[in-house]
C-alpha cells in the first residue's frame, strides 16, 4: 500500500509519468472492485428488481413501437435510461432484464472515474481522491443500484461529470467546459429532474465571482438545461401526459405534505437521519482523516463544540429510534435493511445474512461519523460568503439545492441519499493530508463495507432468481401470471397496466398501492409456509437458494385455500 500511495501522491512530479502512474492506480482499483462484484454477485437473471420493472416497460415499449412512453408508476424523467437500455437490448438481440442490468453496470463505471476527476478538480490530493473513489465503489446503495435498471446510477454518473466540468469551466473561464457541463446537466435532468440543481448552483457561483461579467458564462452554464427543461415540460404536459405517480407523489401528496403542520419537525428529523447515513457512507474518508494525525489544531479547537453539540443531538436521535422502532439503524426504508439488502417484497421472514450485532455497531458509530459530517457542512455554511467565491462551491451548493428538493418528498427512501455522497466526500477530504498509514486504515474500512455489501447482494440475487424460477414453473403449468402473487416486482410487471385503471375507476386513484391488490391471487410466494398450520394455505412447492457465502433459504409457493 505504501508503494501505491507513493504512486499517486502529489508530492512528486506532475509530469506525464506521474499522471500515468496515477491513471494506472485508478483503473486497477476500479477493475479489482468490479471484478469482485461480478465474481461474487453475478448479474445474470431475466427478471426485474425493485422498481426497475416500470423503467424496463419503457424500453420494451420503445423497442416494440418506436415510441417513447413513461410508465404511469414512474415520477422521474427516465428518458436517457430508456434509450440506453434500448441500445443494449438491441445489442443483446432483444429485450431482457439481463441486458438492462448489464447496461446499468456499464454506465456505472462513469461514476467512480468522474468522482476521482471531480475530487482532483477541487484540489484534493491523489491519494485522498482515490480513497473517496473507493468509498463510492463499496457503498451499498451504489453497488445495489448498479445491478438494477433504476435511474439513480444514471443520474449520479452524469451529475458528477457535470460538476467536474462546471468546476473546471468556472476556474479556468473555459467556455468549452461550461457548454459541456450544461450538456451533462441536461442529460442528468433527463434521468431525474434533480439535474436542475447543477446549472442553478453553477450560475450562483458565477454571479458571486464575476457579478456583471457573469452574463455570458451563466448563459453557457444554464442555457441548454433551461431549454431542455422547457421542451421536456411541453412534451410531458402537451403530448405524453403527466404520469399518475408524478401527479400523486409530487403534485398532490407533495404539496399536501409541505402544508401540513408537522412538516417542519419531520423535515428536521429527516436531516438528522440523513446525517447519520452520510456519516457511515463517508466513514472511510473520515477514519483516514483522523488516522492521518495531521489535523490542524486551531481548526479542531474551533470545531470541537459544534461537533459535541451535533454528537449529543444524534445520540438522542438514535435513542429515539431504539424507543420507537425497537432497534437501531437502519432508520430509513428502501434498500438497506437488517433483514437483507434490497427490496424485501415477499411475505415472511428471510434468513439473515448479516448478524444483528453488525447493525448495532453501525448504530453506535453513526452519531460520531454523522456529527463529523454535520460539523463539516456547518463550517462550510458559516463561511459560505467566502466559500462561494471558489469554483468548488458548485459541489456542496448543488447538493444543498437537491436537499431542498428531496426532503419534502412524501417518502424519504435511503437510495435518495446517494446523490449527496460526492459533496460529503469532498467536505471530508478537502483538507486531508493522507499518509500511507491513514490510506491503509481507510482502505480497510472499505474492505469491511465491500464484504458486507457483496454478501448481501449475492443473497439478494439468489433469492430473486429462485422466486422467478418458481413463478415461471407455475406459468409453465398453465397458471396465468396475474393469478400469482410473486411479490411487488412480479405483480408490477404482470398486473400494473391492467390493475391501475381498475383501481382508479373504483375511486382509489389517490392510494399509491391500491392497484397491488386489485387482481386477486390464487397463489403466492413467501419466505415461510405462512398460514399452512391454520389451513388457510397449502404448500405447492419449495425451492432452495444459496450463495458462496452461506446456505441461503427457501422460497415457498402457496395456494390460497378457498373458503
Amino acid at each position: 500500500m505504501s508503494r501505491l500511495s507513493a504512486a499517486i501522491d502529489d508530492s512528486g512530479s506532475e509530469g506525464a509519468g506521474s499522471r500515468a502512474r496515477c491513471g494506472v492506480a485508478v483503473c486497477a482499483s476500479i477493475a479489482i472492485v468490479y471484478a469482485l462484484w461480478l465474481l461474487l454477485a453475478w448479474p445474470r437473471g431475466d427478471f426485474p428488481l425493485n422498481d426497475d420493472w416500470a423503467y424496463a416497460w419503457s424500453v420494451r415499449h420503445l423497442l416494440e413501437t418506436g415510441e417513447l412512453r413513461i410508465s404511469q408508476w414512474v415520477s422521474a424523467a427516465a428518458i436517457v435510461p430508456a434509450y440506453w437500455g434500448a441500445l443494449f437490448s438491441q445489442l443483446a438481440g432483444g429485450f431482457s432484464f439481463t441486458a438492462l442490468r448489464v447496461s446499468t453496470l456499464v454506465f456505472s463505471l462513469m461514476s467512480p472515474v468522474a468522482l476521482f476527476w471531480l475530487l482532483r478538480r477541487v484540489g484534493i490530493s491523489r491519494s485522498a481522491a482515490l480513497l473517496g473513489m473507493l468509498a463510492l465503489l463499496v457503498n451499498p446503495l451504489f453497488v445495489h443500484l448498479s445491478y438494477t435498471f433504476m435511474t439513480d446510477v444514471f443520474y449520479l454518473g452524469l451529475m458528477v461529470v457535470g460538476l467536474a466540468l462546471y468546476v473546471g469551466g468556472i476556474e479556468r473561464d473555459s467556455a468549452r467546459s461550461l457548454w459541456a457541463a450544461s450538456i451533462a446537466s441536461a442529460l442528468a435532468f433527463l434521468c431525474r429532474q434533480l439535474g436542475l440543481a447543477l446549472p442553478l448552483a453553477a450560475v450562483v457561483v458565477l454571479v458571486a465571482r464575476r457579478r456583471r461579467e457573469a452574463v455570458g458564462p451563466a448563459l453557457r452554464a444554464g442555457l441548454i438545461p433551461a431549454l431542455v427543461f422547457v421542451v421536456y415540460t411541453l412534451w410531458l404536459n402537451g403530448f405524453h401526459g403527466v404520469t399518475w405517480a408524478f401527479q400523486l407523489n409530487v403534485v398532490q401528496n407533495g404539496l399536501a405534505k409541505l402544508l401540513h403542520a408537522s412538516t417542519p419537525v419531520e423535515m428536521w428529523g429527516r436531516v438528522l437521519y440523513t446525517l447519520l447515513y452520510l456519516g457511515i457512507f463517508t466513514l472511510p474518508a473520515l477514519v483516514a482523516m483522523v488516522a492521518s494525525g495531521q489535523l490542524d489544531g486551531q481548526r479542531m479547537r474551533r470545531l470541537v463544540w459544534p461537533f459535541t453539540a451535533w454528537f449529543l443531538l444524534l445520540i438522542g436521535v438514535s435513542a429515539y429510534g431504539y424507543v420507537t422502532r425497537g432497534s437501531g439503524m437502519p432508520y430509513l426504508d428502501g434498500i438497506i435493511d437488517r433483514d437483507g439488502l434490497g427490496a424485501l417484497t415477499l411475505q415472511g421472514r428471510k434468513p439473515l445474512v448479516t448478524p444483528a450485532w453488525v447493525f448495532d455497531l453501525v448504530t453506535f458509530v453513526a452519531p460520531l461519523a454523522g456529527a463529523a459530517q454535520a460539523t463539516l457542512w456547518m463550517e462550510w455554511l458559516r463561511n459560505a460568503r467566502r466559500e462561494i467565491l471558489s469554483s468548488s462551491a458548485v459541489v456542496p451548493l448543488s447538493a444543498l439545492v437537491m436537499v431542498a428538493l428531496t426532503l419534502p418528498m412524501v417518502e424519504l427512501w435511503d437510495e435518495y441519499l446517494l446523490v449527496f455522497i460526492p459533496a460529503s466526500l469532498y467536505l471530508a477530504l478537502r483538507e486531508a493530508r493522507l499518509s500511507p498509514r491513514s490510506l491503509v486504515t481507510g482502505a480497510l474500512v472499505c474492505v469491511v463495507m465491500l464484504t458486507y455489501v457483496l454478501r448481501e447482494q449475492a443473497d439478494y440475487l439468489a433469492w430473486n432468481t429462485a422466486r422467478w424460477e418458481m413463478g415461471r414453473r407455475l406459468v409453465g403449468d398453465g397458471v396465468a401470471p396475474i393469478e400469482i402473487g410473486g411479490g411487488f416486482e412480479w405483480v408490477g410487471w404482470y398486473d400494473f397496466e391492467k390493475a391501475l385503471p381498475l383501481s382508479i375507476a373504483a375511486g382509489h386513484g389517490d392510494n399509491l398501492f391500491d392497484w397491488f391488490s386489485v387482481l386477486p391471487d390464487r397463489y403466492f410466494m413467501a419466505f415461510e409456509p405462512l398460514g399452512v398450520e391454520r389451513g388457510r394455505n397449502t404448500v405447492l412447492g419449495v425451492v432452495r437458494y444459496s450463495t458462496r457465502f452461506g446456505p441461503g433459504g427457501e422460497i415457498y409457493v402457496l395456494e390460497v385455500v378457498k373458503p
Side-chain angles (χ1 to χ4, degrees):
M1 182 62 76
S2 60
R3 291 183 180 179
L4 177 61
S5 179
I8 60 178
D9 192 23
D10 287 313
S11 60
S13 171
E14 285 289 341
S18 178
R19 289 195 297 270
R21 289 193 298 272
C22 177
V24 169
V26 170
C27 292
S29 299
I30 294 174
I32 291 170
V33 175
Y34 269 79
L36 290 172
W37 284 19
L38 299 178
L39 177 65
L40 301 175
W42 188 246
R44 191 169 193 167
D46 191 18
F47 49 79
L49 297 170
N50 206 322
D51 281 328
D52 70 3
W53 57 268
Y55 303 99
W57 180 88
S58 295
V59 174
R60 187 178 65 175
H61 191 276
L62 181 61
L63 291 171
E64 292 176 350
T65 68
E67 178 190 25
L68 176 66
R69 299 292 299 175
I70 307 300
S71 168
Q72 294 296 320
W73 181 250
V74 171
S75 297
I79 292 176
V80 168
Y83 283 102
W84 181 262
L87 170 64
F88 272 74
S89 295
Q90 293 275 28
L91 294 174
F95 174 86
S96 75
F97 284 100
T98 300
L100 298 184
R101 197 166 297 128
V102 170
S103 79
T104 313
L105 281 164
V106 171
F107 200 94
S108 72
L109 287 165
M110 181 187 298
S111 293
V113 174
L115 180 61
F116 181 85
W117 179 33
L118 172 63
L119 294 177
R120 292 290 295 132
R121 277 274 174 101
V122 296
I124 290 173
S125 68
R126 290 175 180 169
S127 56
L130 178 67
L131 183 61
M133 183 192 75
L134 289 175
L136 177 66
L137 282 170
V138 302
N139 182 273
L141 298 181
F142 179 69
V143 176
H144 179 80
L145 290 167
S146 295
Y147 281 80
T148 76
F149 189 63
M150 294 162 68
T151 58
D152 305 81
V153 169
F154 291 95
Y155 175 76
L156 179 70
L158 291 166
M159 179 196 83
V160 180
V161 169
L163 289 174
L165 289 168
Y166 274 132
V167 170
I170 294 171
E171 186 64 31
R172 300 194 308 270
D173 193 22
S174 168
R176 182 181 298 178
S177 291
L178 290 177
W179 282 120
S182 67
I183 293 172
S185 298
L187 292 173
F189 171 82
L190 293 177
C191 295
R192 295 175 66 183
Q193 294 88 328
L194 284 176
L196 286 178
L198 310 184
L200 180 59
V203 168
V204 170
V205 173
L206 283 165
V207 170
R209 285 168 60 96
R210 305 189 60 172
R211 300 188 182 276
R212 294 181 181 179
E213 298 178 357
V215 175
L219 284 175
R220 289 188 282 271
L223 181 60
I224 292 177
L227 291 175
V228 168
F229 169 75
V230 171
V231 172
Y232 169 79
T233 302
L234 292 174
W235 170 78
L236 186 68
N237 289 276
F239 297 92
H240 182 280
V242 177
T243 64
W244 168 75
F246 186 91
Q247 178 69 30
L248 180 62
N249 284 334
V250 179
V251 179
Q252 181 177 324
N253 293 342
L255 290 176
K257 191 173 192 67
L258 284 175
L259 298 174
H260 199 276
S262 64
T263 295
V265 175
E266 184 176 350
M267 295 303 102
W268 179 238
R270 288 183 173 189
V271 168
L272 296 177
Y273 283 140
T274 297
L275 289 170
L276 290 170
Y277 276 77
L278 290 178
I280 294 299
F281 293 158
T282 59
L283 193 61
L286 295 172
V287 168
M289 183 174 63
V290 173
S292 67
Q294 300 179 20
L295 299 175
D296 180 75
Q298 184 177 356
R299 182 183 179 217
M300 289 296 294
R301 287 190 295 272
R302 187 174 66 250
L303 298 180
V304 65
W305 287 112
F307 173 83
T308 303
W310 280 109
F311 176 65
L312 293 175
L313 185 58
L314 293 175
I315 283 287
V317 171
S318 298
Y320 175 78
Y322 261 109
V323 172
T324 57
R325 294 170 176 262
S327 64
M329 290 188 76
Y331 300 120
L332 300 177
D333 294 327
I335 289 173
I336 304 172
D337 191 273
R338 285 180 172 242
D339 291 336
L341 194 68
L344 303 175
T345 57
L346 295 185
Q347 299 180 53
R349 185 69 180 270
K350 187 182 73 67
L352 294 179
V353 175
T354 303
W357 66 263
V358 173
F359 293 99
D360 293 334
L361 178 61
V362 169
T363 303
F364 176 78
V365 173
L368 284 167
Q373 270 295 325
T375 305
L376 293 170
W377 278 100
M378 177 175 282
E379 182 187 31
W380 190 90
L381 289 169
R382 187 170 58 244
N383 301 316
R385 284 190 178 182
R386 175 172 54 83
E387 295 279 6
I388 207 169
L389 298 176
S390 168
S391 60
S392 60
V394 174
V395 180
L397 190 58
S398 63
L400 290 173
V401 176
M402 290 189 289
V403 166
L405 296 173
T406 301
L407 286 180
M409 298 289 286
V410 176
E411 184 75 28
L412 181 64
W413 304 103
D414 59 7
E415 59 259 41
Y416 293 169
L417 306 184
L418 181 65
V419 299
F420 307 127
I421 293 175
S424 300
L425 286 169
Y426 158 67
L427 292 179
L429 292 170
R430 64 176 181 161
E431 296 188 28
R433 302 291 184 270
L434 299 186
S435 63
R437 183 187 66 178
S438 60
L439 185 60
V440 169
T441 305
L444 288 176
V445 178
C446 289
V447 170
V448 173
M449 293 177 69
L450 185 62
T451 301
Y452 157 75
V453 70
L454 289 183
R455 282 169 55 89
E456 289 284 4
Q457 184 67 15
D459 180 76
Y460 178 72
L461 293 173
W463 71 256
N464 272 282
T465 300
R467 181 219 321 213
W468 283 81
E469 176 187 337
M470 183 61 78
R472 285 168 177 150
R473 285 184 196 174
L474 285 175
V475 173
D477 290 338
V479 178
I482 61 172
E483 294 183 298
I484 303 170
F488 175 72
E489 295 89 343
W490 181 283
V491 177
W493 184 240
Y494 288 116
D495 293 12
F496 180 75
E497 296 302 317
K498 298 177 182 178
L500 180 61
L502 296 175
S503 175
I504 294 174
H508 301 146
D510 59 349
N511 186 323
L512 189 62
F513 289 101
D514 181 77
W515 62 269
F516 191 80
S517 56
V518 165
L519 301 175
D521 299 319
R522 289 177 53 198
Y523 310 91
F524 70 97
M525 283 176 268
F527 291 114
E528 300 174 289
L530 302 174
V532 172
E533 73 283 355
R534 298 183 181 179
R536 294 198 303 264
N537 309 308
T538 58
V539 176
L540 289 186
V542 60
V543 59
R544 289 194 56 82
Y545 66 90
S546 62
T547 70
R548 299 182 183 185
F549 300 106
E554 298 87 23
I555 301 294
Y556 292 84
V557 174
L558 304 163
E559 182 178 11
V560 179
V561 176
K562 295 182 179 180

